[in-house]
């Protein structure tokens, strides 16, 4: 130093200045690694390298932000603050995942997560005040703690000059660009990142911050104005065998016509035009011998909280067993768990996937809901009403459920249901049915919707009034306390159905009443800290190790009518799912509907079986495709898979997913039917 001027380099300052660049990148890799291990059970997968590259790039952004300040003390303080703030979304999403077994995207957070969090403060408090909760709090705040303790001492000579900032910016661009290059040259990686993007898969593959970034990008971009992908329809093989004279020719099958309406699909612009062209490209499904089988009958449609196939037992739940085995039997049924209760309810009622997460149902409050069973039967003069035995404002049901087409609106706890149901957790399904059935049983034909709550977690005798109420009926069962608690809670639904059918039979209208029961989602409350591959209580209930979404989301659809009990069993053994409920009921009740408008199918029609979810997994009669692995598993090793079958089906699923999104966001049925 001479004359106050710098003459020689200071190696210690230079080293600490360059090392400072690594603090945030390493912290981001740490955050994502801890998060992945905590929610997926392992760190390494096909996308781990991509996750690391993105984390390093985001870390460079963090470095550039905290070094905006010239003074070392300011850099030190802002680093603590930014590291602590970065820990918050990881903690929030971790505890959300522990409770609901899904990650909450922005739409779900804005569309009802506050209700869910507010409604389950006891559960959240229990998660936080536990050894695991304390451990995760410590692990995610550890980088901020370490920096607060050691940062100022170790990096007191560090200086963020122009050169180090240029290096960080160059590293940011290089890491980000290299990762995009790798992704765009890998079909499976690109599908998750762009073509088949969904928040769950993005978080699982590329990390939480990437999932949030992609979610924001997609929300900002809005609906794509691009048309649907061209679908290649397989051609039927041509029969080249010569006709034998005088050969007995079987009588041709009876033709019933098509479930198709006279719609104007030639106008519109932008996404309405795209939707019209897509619907025009679809083949309407045929009517069949079951068309109108329930015409004029009453309908009671039930979304049963956390219900699943394993609840059904000839001894424990004889009424549910009767309904499942003497009604229409669905032996390979699925309820994709995409956005918690409100997502599953949306699937059952609208026959669409909740592509906007927890906000999907909420958006329908402003839409023209022409094709719900409430609206379809209302146009035929049915009396209709929707019921729920928890808070009537929960998930904004006071805004959405009055728009489902039911003539007499909606009742929940707080706008009438409190007259019938005691205030406890969870509320009684039986009390709801006992209180409401007498109000509509003489208003035939009636069209009723119920959203139940008695099957909700937690499944402990102290935390669940229904579990406590029915404990003596499950106490001797060969299951863990947790599983027995779950089964006990669901006995309230069993008792509700016993009461309902008994009263219908007393009234002499059981043969004229259809009851349809589907769940909203798998019982995620069984395993507090589980993830796919580590769901011990759910696996105990199911009887096998639950390792993928299809295994997790299998369930049972109950479709019963007293008139079916003396008939030969009707068995549907093809893959079916909740999106098939609406078109199937429409066909059975003989309403006027256009099958091309539903991404699901009438299960009795000639439409091919297809089950799919928001992760772009799908299942047909030939096998199952797992998008996270990019792998198709044939149903049988001897089955012949047509050429390009997988790529064609992937395209069909992407189009159906896009249709669900565009139809909701563009209020498509208003365009078609509001004259």
């Amino acid at each position: 130093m001479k004359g106050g001027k710098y003459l020689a380099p200071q190696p210690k300052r230079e080293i600490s200045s360059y090392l400072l660049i690594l603090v945030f990148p390493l912290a981001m890799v740490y955050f994502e690694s801890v998060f992945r291990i905590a929610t997926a059970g392992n760190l390494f997968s096909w996308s781990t390298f991509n996750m690391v590259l993105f984390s390093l790039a985001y870390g460079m952004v963090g470095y550039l932000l905290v070094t905006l300040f010239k003074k070392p003390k300011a850099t030190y303080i802002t680093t603590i603050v930014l590291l602590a703030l970065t820990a918050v979304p990881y903690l929030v999403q971790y505890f959300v995942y522990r409770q609901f077994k899904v990650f909450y995207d922005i739409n779900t957070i804005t569309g009802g997560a506050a209700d869910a969090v507010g409604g389950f403060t006891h559960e959240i408090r229990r998660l936080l005040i536990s050894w695991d909760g304390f451990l995760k709090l410590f692990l995610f705040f550890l980088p901020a703690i370490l920096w607060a303790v050691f940062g100022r001492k170790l990096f007191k000579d560090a200086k963020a000059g122009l050169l180090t900032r240029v290096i960080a910016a160059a590293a940011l661009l290089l890491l980000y660009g290299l990762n995009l290059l790798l992704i765009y040259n890998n079909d499976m990686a690109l599908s998750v990142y762009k073509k088949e993007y969904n928040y769950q898969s993005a978080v699982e593959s590329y990390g939480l911050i990437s999932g949030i970034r992609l979610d924001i990008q997609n929300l900002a971009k809005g609906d794509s104005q691009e048309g649907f992908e061209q679908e290649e329809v397989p051609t039927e093989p041509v029969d080249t065998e010569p006709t034998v004279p005088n050969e007995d020719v079987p009588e041709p099958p009876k033709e019933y016509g098509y479930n198709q309406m006279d719609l104007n699909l030639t106008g519109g612009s932008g996404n309405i035009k795209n939707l019209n062209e897509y619907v025009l490209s679809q083949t309407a499904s045929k009517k069949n011998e079951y068309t109108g089988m329930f015409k004029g009958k009453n309908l009671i449609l039930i979304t049963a909280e956390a219900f699943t196939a394993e609840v059904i037992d000839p001894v424990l739940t004889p009424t549910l067993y009767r309904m499942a085995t003497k009604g229409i039997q669905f032996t390979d049924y699925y309820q994709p768990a995409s956005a918690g209760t409100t997502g599953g309810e949306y699937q059952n009622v609208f026959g669409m996937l909740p592509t906007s997460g927890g906000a999907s149902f909420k958006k329908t409050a402003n839409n023209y809901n022409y094709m719900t069973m409430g609206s379809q039967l209302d146009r035929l003069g049915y009396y209709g009403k929707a019921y729920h035995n928890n808070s009537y404002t929960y998930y904004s049901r006071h805004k959405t459920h009055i728009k489902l087409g039911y003539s007499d609106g909606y009742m929940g706890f707080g706008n009438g249901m409190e007259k019938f149901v005691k205030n406890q957790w969870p509320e009684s399904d039986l009390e709801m049915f006992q209180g409401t059935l007498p109000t509509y049983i003489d208003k035939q034909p009636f069209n009723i919707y119920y959203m139940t709550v008695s099957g909700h977690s937690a499944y402990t005798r102290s935390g669940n009034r229904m579990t406590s109420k029915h404990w003596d009926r499950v106490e001797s069962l060969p299951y863990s306390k947790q599983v027995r608690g779950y089964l006990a809670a669901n006995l309230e639904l069993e008792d509700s159905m016993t009461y309902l059918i008994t009263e219908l039979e007393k009234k002499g209208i059981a043969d004229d009443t259809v009851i349809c029961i589907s769940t909203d989602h798998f019982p995620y409350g069984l395993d507090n800290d589980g993830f796919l591959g580590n769901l011990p209580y759910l696996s105990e209930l199911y009887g096998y190790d639950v390792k993928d979404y299809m295994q997790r989301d299998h369930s049972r659809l109950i479709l019963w009518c007293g008139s079916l009990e003396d008939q030969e069993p009707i068995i549907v053994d093809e893959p079916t799912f909740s999106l098939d409920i609406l078109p199937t009921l429409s066909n059975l009740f003989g309403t006027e509907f256009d099958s091309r408008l539903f991404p699901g199918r009438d299960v009795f029609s000639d439409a091919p079986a297809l089950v799919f979810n928001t992760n772009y997994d799908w299942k047909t009669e030939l096998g199952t495709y797992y998008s996270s692995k990019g792998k198709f598993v044939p149903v049988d090793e001897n089955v012949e898979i047509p050429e390009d079958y997988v790529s064609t089906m992937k395209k069909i699923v992407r189009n159906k997913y896009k249709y669900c999104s565009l139809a909701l966001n563009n209020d498509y049925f208003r365009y078609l039917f509001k004259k």
Side-chain angles (χ1 to χ4, degrees):
M1 186 75 69
K2 183 177 181 182
K5 295 183 179 181
Y6 179 82
L7 296 178
Q10 299 181 18
K12 186 176 180 181
R13 170 176 289 186
E14 287 184 4
I15 292 172
S16 61
S17 297
Y18 292 125
L19 288 177
L20 182 62
I21 299 175
L22 300 177
V23 171
F24 264 100
L26 294 177
M28 292 305 302
V29 172
Y30 170 82
F31 282 131
E32 294 288 3
S33 299
V34 172
F35 185 75
R36 178 175 283 196
I37 292 170
T39 57
N42 63 80
L43 176 60
F44 299 104
S45 70
W46 63 267
S47 60
T48 301
F49 188 59
N50 300 112
M51 181 268 285
V52 170
L53 288 179
F54 273 139
S55 300
L56 293 172
Y58 301 144
M60 294 302 172
V61 175
Y63 170 81
L64 292 172
L65 287 175
V66 299
T67 55
L68 288 173
F69 303 95
K70 298 291 184 180
K71 295 183 179 180
K73 184 177 181 181
T75 298
Y76 166 75
I77 294 173
T78 53
T79 299
I80 296 174
V81 172
L82 190 55
L83 286 172
L85 289 176
T86 304
V88 172
Y90 288 98
L91 281 166
V92 170
Q93 288 286 2
Y94 169 71
F95 286 116
V96 163
Y97 188 84
R98 275 203 61 180
Q99 177 64 24
F100 302 107
K101 304 301 179 291
V102 294
F103 302 118
Y104 273 4
D105 59 12
I106 293 171
N107 267 322
T108 301
I109 290 172
T110 58
D115 281 337
V117 172
F120 300 104
T121 52
H122 174 76
E123 288 298 300
I124 292 169
R125 193 181 305 116
R126 180 185 57 78
L127 291 175
L128 287 170
I129 306 175
S130 65
W131 284 113
D132 181 72
F134 286 133
L135 176 61
K136 295 306 186 294
L137 286 169
F138 172 75
L139 288 175
F140 282 113
F141 280 118
L142 183 60
I145 295 170
L146 290 176
W147 180 262
V149 175
F150 302 109
R152 196 165 188 181
K153 180 178 180 181
L154 294 176
F155 294 94
K156 65 179 180 180
D157 295 321
K159 183 178 181 181
L162 178 61
L163 178 59
T164 55
R165 290 174 62 77
V166 168
I167 291 173
L172 164 62
L173 295 174
L174 180 64
L175 290 165
Y176 192 81
L178 174 61
N179 210 12
L180 288 183
L181 183 65
L182 294 173
I183 289 171
Y184 274 77
N185 282 278
N186 183 313
D187 288 341
M188 189 166 76
L190 184 59
S191 290
V192 174
Y193 192 78
K194 191 173 182 180
K195 189 173 284 189
E196 296 180 354
Y197 164 78
N198 69 88
Y199 184 72
Q200 303 297 319
S201 296
V203 172
E204 291 170 359
S205 300
Y206 301 123
L208 178 62
I209 302 302
S210 290
I212 294 172
R213 174 178 63 80
L214 289 168
D215 202 35
I216 293 172
Q217 285 179 207
N218 280 278
L219 287 173
K221 183 173 62 175
D223 290 334
S224 170
Q225 296 295 314
E226 297 177 5
F228 288 79
E229 298 177 64
Q230 186 68 37
E231 295 179 7
E232 301 169 9
V233 181
T235 56
E236 294 291 333
V238 179
D239 185 6
T240 58
E241 291 293 323
T243 303
V244 179
N246 300 321
E247 182 181 10
D248 290 335
V249 179
E251 185 178 343
K254 182 178 179 180
E255 290 295 332
Y256 295 90
Y258 292 85
N259 275 313
Q260 181 171 330
M261 301 170 71
D262 184 16
L263 301 176
N264 180 10
L265 299 170
T266 58
S269 61
N271 276 323
I272 293 295
K273 181 174 182 291
N274 292 335
L275 284 163
N276 284 341
E277 290 177 350
Y278 173 73
V279 173
L280 273 171
S281 73
Q282 301 300 294
T283 301
S285 62
K286 291 182 179 180
K287 295 181 181 180
N288 45 75
E289 61 181 305
Y290 298 99
T291 300
M293 185 172 73
F294 294 153
K295 193 174 185 66
K297 294 185 184 294
N298 307 306
L299 173 63
I300 300 175
L301 175 61
I302 302 170
T303 297
E305 174 65 48
F307 175 74
T308 193
E310 282 68 27
V311 170
I312 302 169
D313 182 83
V315 177
L316 186 64
T317 57
T319 301
L320 288 169
Y321 181 80
R322 169 189 173 185
M323 296 172 75
T325 56
K326 293 190 176 183
I328 300 174
Q329 301 179 37
F330 295 82
T331 60
D332 193 20
Y333 179 77
Y334 299 86
Q335 172 63 284
S338 309
T341 293
T342 185
E345 193 178 11
Y346 178 79
Q347 291 164 200
N348 296 342
V349 174
F350 288 95
M352 300 274 188
L353 279 185
T355 52
S356 291
S360 297
F361 212 134
K362 199 171 184 178
K363 287 183 177 182
T364 66
N366 299 314
N367 286 4
Y368 188 57
N369 304 317
Y370 187 81
M371 278 297 176
T372 63
M373 288 310 297
S375 292
Q376 290 192 63
L377 296 183
D378 180 68
R379 290 193 290 274
L380 297 178
Y382 277 61
Y383 168 80
K385 191 152 189 170
Y387 297 101
H388 179 45
N389 49 337
N390 196 5
S391 169
Y392 80 107
T393 62
Y394 208 79
Y395 289 131
S396 297
R397 288 191 178 101
H398 61 302
K399 297 178 181 178
T400 58
H401 284 44
I402 60 172
K403 298 298 242 358
L404 298 181
Y406 294 101
S407 60
D408 199 21
Y410 158 70
M411 177 193 290
F413 196 100
N415 75 330
M417 187 61 68
E418 64 277 8
K419 293 184 297 184
F420 308 124
V421 174
K422 291 193 290 289
N423 185 13
Q424 57 187 330
W425 179 253
E427 288 82 6
S428 165
D429 294 344
L430 178 58
E431 290 175 2
M432 174 170 64
F433 281 92
Q434 289 174 331
T436 58
L437 179 62
T439 67
Y440 63 78
I441 196 168
D442 291 321
K443 298 177 180 178
Q444 300 175 57
F446 53 75
N447 176 29
I448 304 300
Y449 174 69
Y450 286 102
M451 174 72 227
T452 74
V453 76
S454 289
H456 210 296
S457 59
Y459 304 114
T460 62
R461 297 173 69 182
S462 59
N464 189 307
R465 183 66 187 89
M466 299 302 110
T467 294
S468 175
K469 177 181 178 181
H470 301 295
W471 184 255
D472 61 324
R473 295 162 66 180
V474 303
E475 190 170 11
S476 61
L477 294 178
Y479 295 110
S480 63
K481 281 187 178 180
Q482 186 80 343
V483 172
R484 279 181 285 162
Y486 166 76
L487 293 172
N490 276 272
L491 288 177
E492 192 71 3
L493 178 66
E494 161 70 12
D495 291 352
S496 300
M497 294 303 99
T498 302
Y499 165 79
L500 178 58
I501 291 179
T502 299
E503 293 301 308
L504 293 173
E505 289 175 336
K506 285 181 182 178
K507 193 71 175 177
I509 60 172
D511 287 356
D512 295 318
T513 303
V514 178
I515 302 175
C516 180
I517 305 175
S518 178
T519 186
D520 52 350
H521 52 67
F522 75 101
Y524 59 64
L526 273 172
D527 294 280
N528 292 325
D529 56 352
F531 44 80
L532 283 178
N534 181 36
L535 295 168
Y537 292 122
L538 189 67
S539 297
E540 179 188 354
L541 176 68
Y542 284 3
Y544 58 81
D545 191 13
V546 180
K547 294 183 178 180
D548 59 61
Y549 292 120
M550 287 295 181
Q551 291 178 333
R552 185 195 70 180
D553 293 339
H554 98 277
S555 191
R556 187 71 180 258
L557 177 67
I558 291 177
L559 187 52
W560 177 91
C561 179
S563 62
L564 297 174
E565 294 206 341
D566 295 328
Q567 299 181 17
E568 286 295 314
I570 301 172
I571 299 174
V572 180
D573 55 8
E574 299 171 335
T576 56
F577 71 143
S578 51
L579 271 63
D580 296 332
I581 294 174
L582 185 52
T584 299
L585 287 177
S586 299
N587 180 68
L588 289 170
F589 277 83
T591 63
E592 184 185 22
F593 75 102
D594 196 315
S595 57
R596 298 172 299 172
L597 299 176
F598 295 112
R601 68 185 179 109
D602 163 27
V603 300
F604 299 111
S605 72
D606 58 340
L610 173 62
V611 169
F612 61 98
N613 59 27
T614 55
N615 290 3
Y616 295 93
D617 298 328
W618 47 265
K619 183 176 184 179
T620 67
E621 289 186 275
L622 296 186
T624 305
Y625 177 76
Y626 301 96
S627 63
S628 62
K629 302 175 183 177
K631 183 180 181 181
F632 178 76
V633 180
V635 68
D636 186 278
E637 61 181 14
N638 298 317
V639 70
E640 183 178 348
I641 307 300
E643 186 178 357
D644 297 328
Y645 178 76
V646 174
S647 60
T648 299
M649 291 307 305
K650 288 174 67 177
K651 194 179 297 183
I652 289 172
V653 168
R654 287 197 296 267
N655 278 343
K656 287 181 179 290
Y657 185 96
K658 184 173 183 177
Y659 174 78
C660 290
S661 178
L662 294 185
L664 171 66
N665 294 335
N666 293 275
D667 198 2
Y668 185 45
F669 288 176
R670 184 182 299 278
Y671 167 81
L672 291 176
F673 300 110
K674 189 71 170 178
K675 306 301 182 185

